[in-house]
Amino acid sequence: AITAREAVETGATLYRGGVLGRSAAAEGQFWALESPLNPGYAKRYGVPDRNTLFNFIEYGTLKPGSRFITRPAPGGTAIETVVNPNGVHISGFNTP
């Protein structure tokens, strides 16, 4: 978690996947340091199978001064980043 925190603080790209009309977008609070399109992502981040049919991927960096924590993802093995709503500057939004 400390290594992830340092990465986030120094501008690492954060990622989220979601479903249009159902998932939070820029106001989302739970972010990963890897793309949701990576093999094994759902298992590492504890995402239930029913929630893996992403139709958008967004990514960005932590906004200056935004508060955040890094922690083990519930139900997974990866470290996730949790920010306050709108704490990430979105640099890309794609529909795979």
Side-chain angles (χ1 to χ4, degrees), residues 5-22:
R5 181 171 186 81
E6 291 169 354
V8 172
E9 288 174 331
T10 58
T13 300
L14 300 171
Y15 299 86
R16 283 178 46 82
V19 176
L20 293 169
R22 194 176 90 202

Side-chain angles (χ1 to χ4, degrees), residues 10-72:
T10 58
T13 300
L14 300 171
Y15 299 86
R16 283 178 46 82
V19 176
L20 293 169
R22 194 176 90 202
S23 302
E27 68 278 11
Q29 293 183 269
F30 304 97
W31 295 80
L33 286 165
E34 66 176 295
S35 170
L37 299 177
N38 287 351
Y41 171 91
K43 183 173 181 154
R44 286 191 299 281
Y45 286 89
V47 179
D49 289 340
R50 69 181 180 278
N51 293 343
T52 61
L53 301 174
F54 306 124
N55 64 10
F56 75 82
I57 305 294
E58 62 183 328
Y59 52 93
T61 55
L62 188 72
K63 287 181 179 176
S66 291
R67 296 179 61 138
F68 72 99
I69 63 167
T70 53
R71 67 176 190 185

